[in-house]
Amino acid sequence: MTNDSQMKVVAGEAGYLLEDVPHLTDYIPQLPTFPNPLQFNPAYSVVKQYFVNLDDTVAQKIVVHKSSPRGTHFRRAGPRQRVYFEFDEVHACIVTCGGLCPGLNTVIREIVCGLHYMYGVTRILGIDGGYRGFYAKNTIPLTPKVVNDIHKRGGTIIGTSRGGHDTFKIVDSIQDREINQVYIIGGDGTQKGAAAIYQEIRRRGLKVAVAGIPKTIDNDISVIDKSFGFDTAVEEAQRAINAAHVEAESTENGIGVVKLMGRYSGFIAMYATLASRDVDCCLIPESPFFLEGSGGLYEYLERRLKENGHFVLVIAEGAGQDLLADELHTMNEKDASGNKLLQDVGLWISHKIKDHFAKTQRLHITLKYIDPTYMIRAIPSNASDNVYCTLLAQSAVHGAMAGYTGFTVGPVNGRHAYIPFNRITETQNKVVITDRMWARLLSSTNQPSFLTPKDVLEAKKEEEPPTQLLDGENCKDSKDAVAATTST
C-alpha cells in the first residue's frame, strides 16, 4: 500500500485497486469515535441496513472482459457505524465558488438539513462570496428554517465569486472560527483550491474534515457520471432551440443560431441537439470544423436551406475559438479563476454566415441569433437534479461525519463514492468524437463530421487506450464506460 496526503492506493487480489481518500486518523491518531446517531433516527427505523459496510467499494470501470483484472475502485459513500464528531462538537461551513449553476441552493439546503436532521448539528455557517469570503466578508448563519425554500430559487443564497483563493488566510479563518467541517461546492479550480486547503489543514494537524461537491454546468468533471445542473441545462436549452426553430421555419431561408455553454466540453450542445430533433448542425469544441470549400459548413448550410427552407445551428461557446483567434488576433486573456476568456463564437459565426450569403448572393437569408447562457445558469434545478443534489449533499455529510477528508463525492456507475481530489482535477471529461454517442448525433442531424481521413486516424490514435488498459490497469472515464454500456 502506498500512502500520501492526497490518495491511498490499496492493492488486492485479482488486480483489485482501491484509490482511497484520506482520513483524519491518518495524521491525528487515536481519535475517539462515537455511535452514529442515525440508527436512532425515526426516519431510518425501517431501513434494513443503516450503515455502509467498511469494505464496500465502487468499480470505476463497469464493462470488462472475463479475463480482466478487477481494476480501480473508490470507497462507497454512505453513513458509517462509528462517527468521529459528536453533534454538539460540529461547527460546519459551506462555500460556493465559480459561476452559477442550477442546483446550488438545493445542495446548500440539503447539507444544512442533512447535518441538522440526521446528525443533530446546529452550528452551520455560509461563507459569503466564495473563497475570499473566508477572510473578507461576513458569514451567514444557516438553519433548516433559513434554507427551507431556497431550492425554488436559482443562484446561491450565500453568494459566489471567482478567484480570491489564499490558502493560508482561509485556513487561518477556519482555525479562528473553530470550524471543523468544510463543505466546498465548485468546479475544477475550486476543487484544486479545496485540495490545497486540506493539505494546509493536515500540515497544521487540525481536526477539520474537508469535503468537496463538484459543480460544473458543462459536465466536464472526470470520473463521476455527470455533474449536477447538467440535466436542467439540457432541458432549458430546448426552449432556446425551439425558439430558433420557430423563427427559422417561419420565414423563407430562415436560420436560427443558438449558442450554448461548453467551454472545453460540448456535452450540453450534444445532448440538447439529440433531445430536440430540430437541429441541423451541432458544433462543439472537441470536433474541429471549417467554413469554406467542399465539405465545409457553408456548403452544407446552402444544401439544407434548399432542401428544407430553414436551418438551425447549435454551437458550444468553446467551439471554433481557434478560427476566431486567427481572425481577430486575440490575446490569451484569463478570468479570475484562470479560465481563458472566450470570444463570442455565436455572434462571430452569425456574422460570417450573413457575410457569406451577402457576397455570394445565391440566397436571401434571415438569421436570428439566440444566446440563453445566463438564463440557463440562473434557473432553479429541475426534479431530476433536485434528487441528485440531495444525494450528493447527504453523501458529503456522511463522509465528513465518518472522519473522511480531502475528498469529493459523486456517482460512479450509478453508485455514490468518495473520490480523491487529484482524480477529479487531473483531467477534464470531454466528448469523444470517436465514440458512438457522437456518431449518433451525426446520424440524427445528418451533418458532415468536418473531419478529413487524416483527422479521423489521428482522433482514433489519441483515444486508443494503452495496452495495459486491456488488462484493466488503467480505466477510461466512467462516462465512457456508461456510454459503452448503453450503446449496446
Side-chain angles (χ1 to χ4, degrees):
M1 179 179 74
T2 61
N3 187 344
D4 59 32
S5 57
Q6 285 273 358
M7 178 175 66
K8 298 179 288 184
V9 179
V10 181
E13 295 180 359
Y16 172 93
L17 286 175
L18 168 62
E19 294 190 359
D20 206 357
V21 296
H23 195 273
L24 291 172
T25 54
D26 293 342
Y27 63 94
I28 309 177
Q30 299 178 334
L31 272 179
T33 64
F34 313 95
N36 193 327
L38 204 61
Q39 60 189 305
F40 308 113
N41 190 314
Y44 279 76
S45 60
V46 296
V47 177
K48 289 183 179 180
Q49 184 179 351
Y50 297 125
F51 307 115
V52 171
N53 191 298
L54 290 176
D55 293 330
D56 282 359
T57 59
V58 178
Q60 182 180 11
K61 189 177 181 183
I62 195 170
V63 179
V64 296
H65 303 291
K66 62 181 180 181
S67 59
S68 298
R70 294 170 63 189
T72 301
H73 289 63
F74 301 106
R75 187 167 292 280
R76 184 182 175 191
R80 267 55 179 177
Q81 193 165 4
R82 307 290 294 181
V83 294
Y84 284 77
F85 295 92
E86 290 193 280
F87 74 94
D88 56 353
E89 170 195 3
V90 175
H91 189 196
C93 75
I94 306 170
V95 62
T96 54
C97 304
L100 295 182
C101 177
L104 274 171
N105 277 335
T106 307
V107 175
I108 295 168
R109 181 189 190 278
E110 297 310 321
I111 291 174
V112 173
C113 291
L115 283 167
H116 185 92
Y117 292 126
M118 291 192 295
Y119 290 100
V121 175
T122 58
R123 294 189 299 162
I124 309 168
L125 294 175
I127 303 300
D128 186 8
Y131 274 139
R132 62 170 53 91
F134 274 103
Y135 53 86
K137 289 197 175 185
N138 295 325
T139 57
I140 303 168
L142 299 176
T143 64
K145 185 176 181 179
V146 170
V147 302
N148 185 50
D149 291 324
I150 65 172
H151 62 291
K152 299 175 184 177
R153 288 183 263 159
T156 164
I157 63 159
I158 56 178
T160 186
S161 66
R162 296 189 183 276
H165 185 274
D166 187 317
T167 303
F168 297 105
K169 285 185 178 180
I170 290 170
V171 178
D172 284 346
S173 175
I174 290 169
Q175 197 168 1
D176 291 344
R177 297 178 192 272
E178 297 183 336
I179 291 169
N180 51 23
Q181 288 186 11
V182 183
Y183 297 91
I184 300 174
I185 311 167
D188 177 73
T190 301
Q191 300 303 314
K192 288 179 180 176
I197 291 169
Y198 156 70
Q199 294 279 13
E200 179 60 19
I201 284 172
R202 179 179 179 129
R203 190 188 68 80
R204 299 188 190 187
L206 305 177
K207 185 187 176 183
V208 179
V210 180
I213 294 93
K215 170 201 69 72
T216 169
I217 201 169
D218 294 346
N219 198 38
D220 59 359
I221 291 180
S222 64
V223 181
I224 65 173
D225 295 346
K226 68 176 179 179
S227 52
F228 74 83
F230 174 71
D231 279 355
T232 305
V234 171
E235 186 177 297
E236 188 66 14
Q238 302 302 295
R239 298 175 186 270
I241 293 173
N242 183 60
H245 183 248
V246 169
E247 288 284 352
E249 70 172 358
S250 297
T251 184
E252 185 180 7
N253 296 323
I255 299 174
V257 176
V258 179
K259 185 185 78 172
L260 297 176
M261 288 153 293
R263 179 179 291 273
Y264 302 112
S265 303
F267 286 103
I268 292 177
M270 180 174 73
Y271 277 83
T273 294
L274 282 167
S276 76
R277 311 294 176 180
D278 290 329
V279 178
D280 296 286
C281 186
C282 175
L283 303 175
I284 61 173
E286 296 89 338
S287 184
F289 67 92
F290 57 96
L291 301 176
E292 299 178 353
S294 177
L297 179 63
Y298 293 153
E299 181 186 74
Y300 172 62
L301 203 164
E302 288 182 19
R303 186 174 78 248
R304 290 303 286 262
L305 284 177
K306 290 175 182 177
E307 292 171 353
N308 299 334
H310 62 274
F311 190 93
V312 176
L313 171 68
V314 167
I315 186 166
E317 62 182 328
Q321 290 294 322
D322 54 335
L323 301 178
L324 273 82
D326 291 341
E327 185 170 310
L328 303 178
H329 307 290
T330 54
M331 302 294 290
N332 288 327
E333 298 179 21
K334 296 185 177 181
D335 63 19
S337 297
N339 298 313
K340 181 180 177 182
L341 289 174
L342 302 180
Q343 301 297 316
D344 190 336
V345 69
L347 194 60
W348 172 80
I349 204 165
S350 297
H351 286 313
K352 296 295 287 186
I353 291 171
K354 288 179 181 178
D355 291 345
H356 169 74
F357 283 102
K359 288 176 184 177
T360 60
Q361 296 184 339
R362 284 197 282 266
L363 292 171
H364 174 74
I365 66 164
T366 301
L367 187 147
K368 295 294 191 297
Y369 171 46
I370 299 174
D371 179 1
T373 299
Y374 294 106
M375 293 176 64
I376 292 175
R377 286 178 14 145
I379 64 172
S381 53
N382 64 10
S384 173
D385 272 323
N386 268 335
V387 174
Y388 179 31
C389 290
T390 301
L391 298 179
L392 282 173
Q394 291 190 1
S395 293
V397 167
H398 292 317
M401 291 299 297
Y404 293 109
T405 182
F407 70 89
T408 194
V409 65
V412 179
N413 294 321
R415 294 283 187 176
H416 282 245
Y418 299 135
I419 306 161
F421 278 135
N422 64 300
R423 285 304 310 274
I424 289 291
T425 59
E426 64 189 1
T427 59
Q428 282 185 312
N429 189 59
K430 295 186 177 183
V431 174
V432 180
I433 61 171
T434 55
D435 183 66
R436 276 171 282 188
M437 203 64 181
W438 183 242
R440 292 189 185 103
L441 180 139
L442 297 178
S443 300
S444 174
T445 61
N446 201 30
Q447 71 184 67
S449 69
F450 301 107
L451 296 176
T452 65
K454 183 180 178 182
D455 292 331
V456 173
L457 287 174
E458 289 180 355
K460 286 185 175 181
K461 189 175 180 181
E462 286 178 9
E463 295 301 329
E464 188 175 327
T467 54
Q468 61 262 41
L469 179 64
L470 299 176
D471 296 326
E473 293 295 325
N474 292 315
C475 301
K476 289 184 71 177
D477 190 280
S478 64
K479 294 176 191 171
D480 296 337
V482 171
T485 308
T486 57
S487 63
T488 57

